[in-house]
Amino acid sequence: MKMRAKSRFILVSATVPNASDIATWIGPRDGGESAICLKFGNEYRPCKLTQHVQGYRRNNASSFQFDRTLDGKVFGALQKYCDAKPTLIFCATRKGAVATAQRIVKDYKEMQTKHAVLPWKPIKQEWPKMHSDLVELVSFGVAIHHAGLSPEDRRLIEDRFLTGKLFIVVATSTLAVGVNLPCRTVIIKGVELWDGSKTREYSDLDVLQMMGRAGRPQFDKEGVAVILCDLEQRQKYEKLTQASTVIESSLHLSLAEHLNSEIVLGTVGDVKSGREWIKNTFFYRRIQANPVYYGFLSGIPAGGWEAYFDNLVEQTLANLTSSQMIEYKEGLVNATAFGNLASRLYVKQPSMKLIIEIPELATKKDVLLALSQADEYKEVRLRQGERSVRTILSFTVPDANKEHKQVYNKLCQHSDIRFGLKKVERAHEKVYILLQVMGDEEPP
């Protein structure tokens, strides 16, 4: 947590508005109160960036349904902000990118029929043989870009876009990181994506990286970034574009794991050093500056902050002791073999406790059932459809549109499942089945 010897650190971020808090946390330099903190705003950009956030009512629609709603808003944003200059549109998925591009072409055709003013005019040109999804799109100056295309198609799209022969490229958000395609306008269509277990929003860094593609210093005086989102999300992203979203700590969500690792490393060897360690964390500073965010609605806790942190450290040490991850006697702490293992393999404290409590004579099925309830899987949910099961397995699940429970009940009867269940009714039972399906080897 502290700088040692003569090491020097330079921290660079495009997403930290409360940089002074970070500088104070890092520690003093040459007797000062904090590290040197330099802030560079949009005025330092070689090309000014204008940002817009447009919110729309969701009306109880699911994320998928709302994504289709936003498809219908993209062409309007192009009419307003494209100005016949290169535009990147970011979508969360490959299918979403294709659907958005097809909707843009559909709306373009309708505008042509009405003889309305069009935001760009396609350039007639010859195109080699390419992916079927691209054939009609490119004739309207529109293309898609994602990892499902061949390298040749991706390079072709990139070259034509950079040379001004394509006006609109609809891409997955990974393009913001992997490929250098500067443009005049960026449109972020929706801010939510499916991460495999739940719907979540893009990180602030992801959004800023996508917006950062807007503006070509050699061609434009300014770039334009547009975010299309739920009306209830608009205020959040307006704050983000104005660099006013404060960074908070997440240490309290995994304090036991971090403290255990410090004990394993030897940084913490007793209660006193544990208290000193936590006082050097970002969490220590932010909880006092913004207690409401961390659950203290009335501000300072009873007994004051010093007493709160003392109790927090002692309670965490007690929990680690009850999990047999450390030995805690007379104020001194030492890591056990279990604690060392948890630190090395990044196993959460509740999961380690669960593993340790597996009976010595447990069957293989009992072990799998216990592991399926590990804290690392707590975000797994039973959900409708479970279509991905078709891809995972080498057999067809009849009527995959039925309830998820019926799908997993079919899996339980498959010959590849060594330890089946009568029914799958809870999330951990789904994990139990998938551990057997997706394992590289048979369960030991």
Side-chain angles (χ1 to χ4, degrees):
M1 288 298 178
K2 285 185 175 294
M3 292 189 291
R4 299 177 182 274
K6 296 182 179 181
S7 300
R8 294 188 297 174
F9 296 88
I10 298 177
L11 284 72
V12 182
S13 176
T15 62
V16 181
N18 52 327
S20 56
D21 285 341
I22 304 292
T24 303
W25 166 53
I26 290 171
R29 178 183 181 274
D30 299 333
E33 293 184 357
S34 70
I36 294 174
C37 182
L38 302 175
K39 299 181 181 180
F40 303 93
N42 278 335
E43 65 274 12
Y44 285 90
R45 285 178 60 96
C47 185
K48 179 184 175 183
L49 180 63
T50 303
Q51 301 156 342
H52 306 276
V53 181
Q54 297 181 186
Y56 302 94
R57 294 189 183 280
R58 183 183 290 262
N59 296 326
N60 297 320
S62 67
S63 294
F64 176 80
Q65 292 167 331
F66 186 64
D67 194 60
R68 299 285 75 81
T69 298
L70 292 181
D71 279 340
K73 308 297 182 182
V74 172
F75 194 80
L78 289 170
Q79 288 179 305
K80 190 172 183 179
Y81 300 111
C82 172
D83 197 24
K85 293 182 179 179
T87 299
L88 279 176
I89 301 172
F90 289 109
C91 301
T93 66
R94 299 178 190 179
K95 287 185 178 179
V98 174
T100 300
Q102 290 172 340
R103 179 59 186 266
I104 291 170
V105 169
K106 177 184 176 183
D107 291 343
Y108 191 96
K109 289 177 180 179
E110 290 180 1
M111 291 296 106
Q112 273 185 323
T113 303
K114 297 176 181 178
H115 302 289
V117 177
L118 298 169
W120 74 91
K121 292 184 179 180
I123 297 173
K124 292 184 179 180
Q125 54 193 299
E126 293 293 325
W127 290 90
K129 186 177 180 180
M130 59 179 63
H131 193 284
S132 58
D133 286 340
L134 288 165
V135 175
E136 182 184 21
L137 299 177
V138 294
S139 64
F140 288 88
V142 180
I144 56 175
H145 189 293
H146 58 64
L149 300 178
S150 68
E152 293 76 20
D153 283 349
R154 292 201 301 270
R155 282 195 294 270
L156 178 64
I157 296 304
E158 293 163 16
D159 291 342
R160 297 287 175 102
F161 187 73
L162 289 171
T163 54
K165 296 177 182 178
L166 277 174
F167 291 96
I168 312 295
V169 169
V170 187
T172 49
S173 54
T174 51
L175 181 67
V177 179
V179 181
N180 183 25
L181 281 184
C183 59
R184 192 260 187 178
T185 304
V186 163
I187 297 176
I188 302 174
K189 193 212 76 175
V191 294
E192 297 177 349
L193 71 159
W194 180 257
D195 68 0
S197 61
K198 66 182 186 304
T199 299
R200 66 171 178 84
E201 293 183 35
Y202 288 124
S203 70
D204 291 352
L205 179 59
D206 289 337
V207 173
L208 290 173
Q209 282 182 323
M210 286 185 272
M211 292 197 301
R213 291 295 188 187
R216 303 166 300 166
Q218 67 273 42
F219 300 118
D220 307 315
K221 292 183 179 179
E222 70 170 4
V224 179
V226 184
I227 300 175
L228 308 181
C229 63
D230 185 340
L231 188 61
E232 294 183 359
Q233 297 167 325
R234 184 174 66 183
Q235 187 176 12
K236 171 186 174 180
Y237 288 96
E238 286 176 341
K239 288 183 178 180
L240 176 63
T241 61
Q242 297 163 9
S244 57
T245 304
V246 174
I247 301 299
E248 297 290 354
S249 172
S250 297
L251 179 63
H252 58 298
L253 303 177
S254 54
L255 181 60
E257 290 76 20
H258 283 277
L259 188 54
N260 177 64
S261 292
E262 297 296 337
I263 294 169
V264 171
L265 291 170
T267 308
V268 173
D270 52 32
V271 176
K272 181 180 178 181
S273 57
R275 292 170 180 166
E276 289 301 315
W277 170 78
I278 203 167
K279 288 179 181 179
N280 282 292
T281 63
F282 188 57
F283 170 63
Y284 179 83
R285 297 179 181 279
R286 287 306 307 163
I287 193 174
Q288 295 180 72
N290 187 12
V292 174
Y293 177 85
Y294 299 91
F296 293 96
L297 302 182
S298 59
I300 301 175
W305 287 114
E306 288 299 315
Y308 166 76
F309 284 111
D310 288 349
N311 291 335
L312 182 62
V313 170
E314 292 191 19
Q315 183 60 52
T316 305
L317 292 174
N319 289 340
L320 289 170
T321 302
S322 70
S323 301
Q324 301 181 48
M325 293 168 67
I326 65 168
E327 293 178 344
Y328 178 26
K329 295 181 181 179
E330 299 178 358
L332 299 177
V333 293
N334 292 289
T336 65
F338 295 127
N340 273 281
L341 191 64
S343 177
R344 190 169 75 250
L345 299 179
Y346 302 98
V347 179
K348 293 185 177 182
Q349 180 249 334
S351 301
M352 199 66 205
K353 184 176 181 180
L354 181 150
I355 292 169
I356 294 170
E357 291 175 350
I358 294 176
E360 186 175 345
L361 299 179
T363 64
K364 296 173 183 178
K365 180 177 180 178
D366 292 335
V367 172
L368 276 174
L369 279 171
L371 292 177
S372 68
Q373 298 178 66
D375 208 51
E376 285 77 358
Y377 300 122
K378 68 180 181 181
E379 293 183 349
V380 174
R381 298 286 185 269
L382 283 171
R383 62 184 189 273
Q384 297 291 332
E386 302 289 359
R387 294 174 182 269
S388 60
V389 173
R390 283 188 163 192
T391 304
I392 294 170
L393 297 176
S394 59
F395 72 101
T396 301
V397 179
D399 196 0
N401 289 318
K402 288 185 177 181
E403 291 284 338
H404 53 260
K405 293 179 184 177
Q406 295 180 23
V407 172
Y408 278 93
N409 289 337
K410 288 286 185 181
L411 297 186
C412 288
Q413 309 306 317
H414 193 264
S415 59
D416 286 348
I417 303 300
R418 293 180 61 190
F419 308 106
L421 297 170
K422 290 183 178 180
K423 290 184 179 180
V424 174
E425 297 182 325
R426 291 181 287 246
H428 81 270
E429 292 171 341
K430 168 183 170 179
V431 173
Y432 167 80
I433 295 298
L434 290 180
L435 284 175
Q436 298 180 65
V437 171
M438 302 179 70
D440 292 331
E441 300 177 358
E442 292 184 343

